[in-house]
Amino acid sequence: MPPAIIFDLDGCLVDSEVLSLKAIADEAHRLGAQDLNPRDLGKEVLGLKMSRIAELIADRAGRPAPEDFAQRIDRVLMDQYPTDLNPIDGAYDLLSALHHAGCHMAVATGSSKARMALALRTTGLDGFFEGRACSSDQVEHGKPAPDLFLLAAKVIGRAPGDCIVIEDSPHGVEGALAAGMTPVGFVGGGHFEGRRDDHADTLRQAGCVSIVDRLDRFRDLVLSGHLM
């Protein structure tokens, strides 16, 4: 049986992290954390649930984050997605190839359900994940807990040990490992411009069995059968 593939969405299928990190940094500045910039935030918050990001920002700002912090970020991004969001290069071809190879596929994202749905619809990837796109809104504990990955495996009816996860964050890799899945790191997103090698090392140290910087290379790894 072909392996099951669980995709992180932001930074792995859609090139949204550049937009997200800027929106979070702008909100952090309004709260008084002037020293935070998108590049540094990327090292800390990738993959985390927005409620956890709000806690980290509050710690750095020395004041509570507004109760609607997550909603503020979502509003900014959902305004931008229809005009500014693009799929990662090769995403559609990758999903088509895996679908035709008989791979079961799901999404496991820290984004809200609404933002996840808009991202998939805007980039034309929604048809690959009808009923199989899981948001951290649906679990009590987001990444790095295993809950979200276990939900995704349940949705596609596969055992965790059958699942390969593609992730761009160490928090996501930690969650995949805790769920008993095989993590592959991805460093092809625009937010890694100028630091791909450094982040590849970070993902390798987190426990990834392989690192790729292009989605066609991930396709070749999966279809070769060398990952399981």
Side-chain angles (χ1 to χ4, degrees):
M1 180 181 292
I5 314 299
I6 297 177
F7 291 90
D8 176 42
L9 178 63
D10 298 295
C12 289
L13 288 177
V14 302
D15 209 5
S16 55
E17 290 292 10
V18 171
L19 302 175
S20 299
L21 292 171
K22 183 181 185 304
I24 294 167
D26 288 347
E27 190 63 29
H29 295 167
R30 279 190 281 274
L31 288 170
Q34 300 295 332
D35 59 325
L36 288 177
N37 59 61
R39 183 185 178 94
D40 292 338
L41 275 169
K43 299 175 182 178
E44 296 185 46
V45 306
L46 285 183
L48 294 181
K49 196 171 183 174
M50 197 58 71
S51 58
R52 178 60 183 140
I53 294 174
E55 293 172 358
L56 293 174
I57 297 299
D59 287 344
R60 295 291 289 271
R63 56 185 290 197
E67 291 185 3
D68 65 344
F69 179 90
Q71 289 76 20
R72 292 186 188 198
I73 301 299
D74 263 16
R75 283 195 295 269
V76 170
L77 294 176
M78 292 179 76
D79 283 345
Q80 294 177 331
Y81 277 9
T83 55
D84 297 342
L85 181 64
N86 295 304
I88 296 287
D89 286 347
Y92 193 92
D93 290 343
L94 166 69
L95 296 175
S96 294
L98 296 181
H99 172 73
H100 288 301
C103 296
H104 294 148
M105 299 185 293
V107 160
T109 177
S111 289
S112 67
K113 288 181 71 174
R115 182 149 58 91
M116 172 183 71
L118 180 60
L120 289 169
R121 187 167 64 250
T122 297
T123 54
L125 304 179
D126 50 331
F128 292 104
F129 298 107
E130 291 181 7
R132 298 181 299 278
C134 303
S135 159
S136 60
D137 286 352
Q138 298 170 261
V139 295
E140 182 176 358
H141 303 292
K143 303 172 188 180
D147 306 31
L148 185 56
F149 294 108
L150 294 173
L151 174 63
K154 182 178 180 181
V155 161
I156 55 177
R158 297 293 294 272
D162 294 338
C163 298
I164 297 167
V165 174
I166 181 166
E167 264 286 353
D168 71 334
S169 82
H171 300 295
V173 173
E174 182 180 344
L177 289 169
M181 300 178 182
T182 301
V184 173
F186 183 68
V187 294
H191 54 306
F192 294 132
E193 195 67 43
R195 61 185 186 96
R196 297 193 199 285
D197 290 345
D198 288 345
H199 196 71
D201 288 341
T202 297
L203 293 177
R204 199 171 287 111
Q205 291 168 15
C208 286
V209 299
S210 187
I211 308 292
V212 294
D213 60 359
R214 296 201 326 245
L215 290 179
D216 59 343
R217 291 176 175 163
F218 178 66
R219 176 202 64 206
D220 293 344
L221 271 177
V222 172
L223 297 183
S224 72
H226 291 158
L227 289 174
M228 301 299 290

